[in-house]
């Protein structure tokens, strides 16, 4: 059988008729026209070689930056070669989610190892077999906490914008009210949180570090949650989690986050991998699957689906989530990365990133007219104020092959340094910024 069989024109027309569309373009009518790809204008009858040459010529029009000083949720990190060598083996690439679970011992073991490492990293008891993204993980996490009597979720304002929007989307039709806290020096305002939390509060959601790179006082937030009987949900950057106190040890009941930073490339925004972990008493509310270790009839080690809340065939009438896949290959990749790096390697990556970020912050604040937007502790990301010069700064950097930080407005820029950046790169970037601001 051929590896690829294209559909005929008649088959296309039958499928379009079944969904009530006149042509393929109508399938995308809800997508804003500005986001639609323009026609490639490749004439018919062109050979495969000529088509490849045209595509390569178009690809060369993309700007590839040598130095990246931007994070904001998707991070360029060094990925050891062993990660790709193992994750791209055919037995992993061709395997999907294990419907006949016990026949898929290799896949089950890879998921089990991934879950174990995530649970250790977050300081929790159990992790699931992952969801689509960090944003969907956060939304699923807060929905685990709501019930008829408690339907308010208090959210620290300094969270990732995509998480904020997905939280709004998920909770809108579920009778859950989101209450956003005011900022205080780039972090959660504990006084405002204490005033807002009451017996109707289902959960408090905060991120560590937050969107501005600031380190939150999770223990203080967790204590406030416990005072009113609410759950504490933490969105963790797993790369930085290697040098931070585990959220589970700070009172977090549920820990979620985006694991793109664990061995997945950025790739036009990044492959994404949402992880979810929780304390044991919250386990049965966890969406997705949990793989456990046991022994078979002959006493040999074996892996099974200890809990599977896959809603299309298990207790659909009681489903609280519509998660229906487990990102198994992305989870496998993250597991290989964590195993290859080990605890010490991950700590070294986080420490190097934080050290470079602090070095760059000192360089920038030595430039007249640039200052830190917020005080307090930060790790690999931080925000500067450039007094209306943000656009000029970023243009000057881009001209020299450097992708600058994320512009938050005309004054503020969110910078990021990972272990892929060298001190020489930061020295060169600071010199370019100095000229753009002072000349």
């Amino acid at each position: 059988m051929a590896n690829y069989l294209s559909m005929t024109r008649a088959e296309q027309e039958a499928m379009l008729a079944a969904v009530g569309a006149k042509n393929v373009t109508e399938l995308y009518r809800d997508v804003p026209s500005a986001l639609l790809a323009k026609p490639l204008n490749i004439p018919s009858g062109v050979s495969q070689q000529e088509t490849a040459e045209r595509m390569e010529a178009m690809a060369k029009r993309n700007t590839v930056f040598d130095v990246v000083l931007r994070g904001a949720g998707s991070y360029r990190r060094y990925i050891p070669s062993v990660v790709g060598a193992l994750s791209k083996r055919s037995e992993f690439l061709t395997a999907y989610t294990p419907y006949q679970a016990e026949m898929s011992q290799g896949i089950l073991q890879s998921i089990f190892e991934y879950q174990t490492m995530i649970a250790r990293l977050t300081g929790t008891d159990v992790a699931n077999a992952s969801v689509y993204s960090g944003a969907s993980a956060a939304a699923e996490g807060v929905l685990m906490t709501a019930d008829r009597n408690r339907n308010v979720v208090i959210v620290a304002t300094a969270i990732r914008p995509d998480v904020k929007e997905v939280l709004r989307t998920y909770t809108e039709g579920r009778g859950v009210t989101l209450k956003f806290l005011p900022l205080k020096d780039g972090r959660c305002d504990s006084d405002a949180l204490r005033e807002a939390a009451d017996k109707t509060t289902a959960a408090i959601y905060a991120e560590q570090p937050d969107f501005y790179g600031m380190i939150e006082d999770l223990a203080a937030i967790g204590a406030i949650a416990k005072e009113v009987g609410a759950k504490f949900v933490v969105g963790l950057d797993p790369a930085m989690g290697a040098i931070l106190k585990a959220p589970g040890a700070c009172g977090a009941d549920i820990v979620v986050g985006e694991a793109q930073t664990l061995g997945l490339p950025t790739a036009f925004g990044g492959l994404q991998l949402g992880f979810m972990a929780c304390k044991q008493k919250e386990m049965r509310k966890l969406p997705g699957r949990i793989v456990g270790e046991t022994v078979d009839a002959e006493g040999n080690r074996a892996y099974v689906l200890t809990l599977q809340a896959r809603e299309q065939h298990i207790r659909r009438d009681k489903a609280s989530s519509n998660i229906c896949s487990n990102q198994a290959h992305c989870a496998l990749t993250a597991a290989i990365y964590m195993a290859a790096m080990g605890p010490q390697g991950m700590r070294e990556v986080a420490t190097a990133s934080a050290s470079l970020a602090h070095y760059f912050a000192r360089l920038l604040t030595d430039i007249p007219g640039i200052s830190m937007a917020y005080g307090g502790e930060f790790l690999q990301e931080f925000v500067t104020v450039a007094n209306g010069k943000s656009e000029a700064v970023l243009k000057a950097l881009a001209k020299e092959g450097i992708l600058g930080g994320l512009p938050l407005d005309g004054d503020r820029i969110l910078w990021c340094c990972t272990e892929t950046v060298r001190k020489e790169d930061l020295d060169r970037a600071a010199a370019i910024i100095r000229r753009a601001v002072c000349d």
Side-chain angles (χ1 to χ4, degrees):
M1 183 174 180
N3 291 328
Y4 175 72
L5 295 174
S6 61
M7 66 183 70
T8 65
R9 180 63 61 88
E11 289 171 331
Q12 289 182 3
E13 292 175 353
M15 293 169 69
L16 289 169
V19 297
K22 296 178 181 178
N23 50 52
V24 173
T25 304
E26 278 200 10
L27 297 175
Y28 302 93
R29 57 181 169 234
D30 294 327
V31 179
S33 58
L35 299 179
L36 293 173
K38 303 298 184 293
L40 297 179
N41 294 321
I42 296 177
S44 60
V46 176
S47 69
Q48 182 176 347
Q49 178 180 342
E50 291 172 317
T51 302
E53 290 171 353
R54 288 172 180 260
M55 298 297 289
E56 289 168 1
M58 284 190 285
K60 289 178 181 178
R61 290 158 51 190
N62 291 328
T63 300
V64 179
F65 293 98
D66 300 322
V67 179
V68 175
L69 300 175
R70 183 175 300 186
S74 184
Y75 302 93
R76 176 187 281 187
R77 295 204 174 278
Y78 176 74
I79 302 174
S81 57
V82 67
V83 176
L86 292 179
S87 66
K88 292 178 182 177
R89 287 179 61 92
S90 61
E91 56 262 53
F92 292 132
L93 285 176
T94 56
Y96 183 55
T97 191
Y99 283 103
Q100 293 176 299
E102 286 65 37
M103 296 294 290
S104 308
Q105 286 293 298
I107 292 297
L108 288 183
Q109 182 176 359
S110 72
I111 293 173
F112 177 82
E113 301 294 351
Y114 161 80
Q115 291 174 173
T116 301
M117 286 185 273
I118 290 294
R120 289 176 178 173
L121 184 65
T122 57
T124 55
D125 300 319
V126 61
N128 73 0
S130 74
V131 295
Y132 302 118
S133 66
S136 60
E140 294 282 355
V142 300
L143 288 179
M144 285 172 59
T145 68
D147 59 31
R148 191 173 301 174
N149 298 319
R150 291 179 178 266
N151 61 354
V152 176
V153 174
I154 300 175
V155 181
T157 300
I159 65 172
R160 286 170 41 180
D162 61 322
V163 174
K164 193 176 296 185
E165 292 306 310
V166 173
L167 283 175
R168 287 194 176 108
T169 300
Y170 269 60
T171 57
E172 184 178 4
R174 299 288 290 269
V176 176
T177 300
L178 296 179
K179 187 183 293 185
F180 291 93
L181 292 173
L183 277 177
K184 185 176 183 180
D185 202 18
R187 294 187 292 181
C188 174
D189 186 339
S190 295
D191 293 333
L193 173 58
R194 192 177 299 277
E195 184 177 339
D198 57 28
K199 297 299 182 181
T200 67
T201 304
I204 298 170
Y205 176 76
E207 293 182 348
Q208 182 75 316
D210 70 15
F211 180 65
Y212 300 123
M214 310 300 293
I215 299 176
E216 293 279 14
D217 187 349
L218 294 187
I221 299 173
I224 294 172
K226 295 300 178 286
E227 287 175 8
V228 297
K231 302 297 182 183
F232 185 25
V233 184
V234 174
L236 176 69
D237 177 347
M240 295 298 100
I243 56 173
L244 290 169
K245 188 174 182 180
C250 298
D253 301 287
I254 302 167
V255 185
V256 299
E258 174 57 62
Q260 173 272 324
T261 194
L262 300 179
L264 297 171
T266 50
F268 197 62
L271 294 169
Q272 294 195 321
L273 169 64
F275 68 85
M276 299 185 69
C278 65
K279 296 298 180 66
Q280 186 171 351
K281 61 182 179 180
E282 310 299 328
M283 180 177 67
R284 292 198 170 274
K285 297 179 182 178
L286 198 62
R289 295 175 157 197
I290 298 174
V291 175
E293 185 182 55
T294 184
V295 293
D296 63 16
E298 298 176 355
N300 298 315
R301 182 175 60 180
Y303 298 93
V304 296
L305 284 179
T306 303
L307 179 68
Q308 64 172 320
R310 192 176 173 86
E311 276 74 21
Q312 66 259 51
H313 68 274
I314 300 293
R315 299 191 306 169
R316 294 180 64 180
D317 58 318
K318 297 181 180 179
S320 59
S321 165
N322 66 352
I323 288 295
C324 58
S325 189
N326 62 16
Q327 296 287 83
H329 192 262
C330 291
L332 167 72
T333 304
I336 295 172
Y337 174 87
M338 289 188 284
M341 298 298 291
Q344 182 60 30
M346 290 185 64
R347 282 193 291 268
E348 290 175 0
V349 165
T351 301
S353 300
S355 297
L356 288 165
H358 280 257
Y359 176 75
F360 191 44
R362 289 194 296 272
L363 292 180
L364 293 183
T365 52
D366 282 342
I367 300 173
I370 294 183
S371 60
M372 297 291 286
Y374 309 113
E377 297 179 352
F378 65 92
L379 290 178
Q380 66 177 351
E381 292 181 276
F382 61 93
V383 179
T384 59
V385 179
N387 295 326
K389 294 293 185 73
S390 291
E391 185 177 356
V393 164
L394 297 176
K395 282 185 176 180
L397 289 171
K399 190 175 180 181
E400 299 295 329
I402 300 174
L403 178 63
L406 179 71
L408 302 178
D409 50 42
D411 289 330
R412 297 181 303 152
I413 299 176
L414 174 63
W415 302 94
C416 176
C417 296
T418 70
E419 78 282 6
T420 61
V421 181
R422 299 174 301 173
K423 278 193 172 183
E424 306 91 273
D425 299 325
L426 300 179
D427 292 336
R428 182 164 69 93
I432 295 169
I433 294 170
R434 182 180 288 274
R435 292 194 296 270
V437 172
C438 300
D439 290 353

